[in-house]
Amino acid sequence: MNALTEGNTAGDFVAWEEDGFYSRDTGTIGAGNDYEPGSVLGKITASGKLVYWDPAAVDGSETVVAVLRTPAAAADADVPNAVLMKRHCRLKRHGLIFGPGVTTQAQRDQAVAELEALGLLAR
């Protein structure tokens, strides 16, 4: 029998969200990477597309704007209408996924602080 592998799901990082999908929003994930649910995202100012949050960037993606709720296979093309966690929710910190630009605990702590400023509490 073949083993099945399940990737990250919302249950891995969402502890609580406001009723009526109030915590959610949608956005376009920029091409270049495949993203799993729980990915911490920044927004490129020029295009408005979401990519991995990168604290060293200077294109707008150095600011945390959301956490991806659904998978986004964006390696080859943009993914429109990706579901995001944008406001008033509690997240499981250990379930968050950071991009390759995040290499230190201080950077992860910075991302969590930026999430909290948006109303996304990561504990």
Side-chain angles (χ1 to χ4, degrees), residues 1 4 7 11 15 22 25-26 30 33 36 53 55 73 82 85-86 103 109 111 115-116 118 121-123:
M1 178 182 279
L4 299 177
Y22 179 78
D25 207 339
T26 59
N33 290 296
E36 286 194 59
W53 171 72
M85 300 304 295
K86 292 270 294 204
T103 58
D109 293 343
L115 286 167
E116 188 166 329
L118 296 172
L121 304 177
R123 305 283 188 246

Side-chain angles (χ1 to χ4, degrees), residues 15-61:
W16 175 86
E17 67 176 304
E18 186 61 60
D19 290 338
F21 304 115
Y22 179 78
S23 301
R24 301 182 194 185
D25 207 339
T26 59
T28 300
I29 305 296
N33 290 296
D34 287 334
Y35 297 82
E36 286 194 59
S39 296
V40 178
L41 303 173
K43 186 182 208 178
I44 297 174
T45 305
S47 66
K49 294 178 183 173
L50 301 160
V51 296
Y52 278 123
W53 171 72
D54 184 352
V58 293
D59 60 1
S61 64

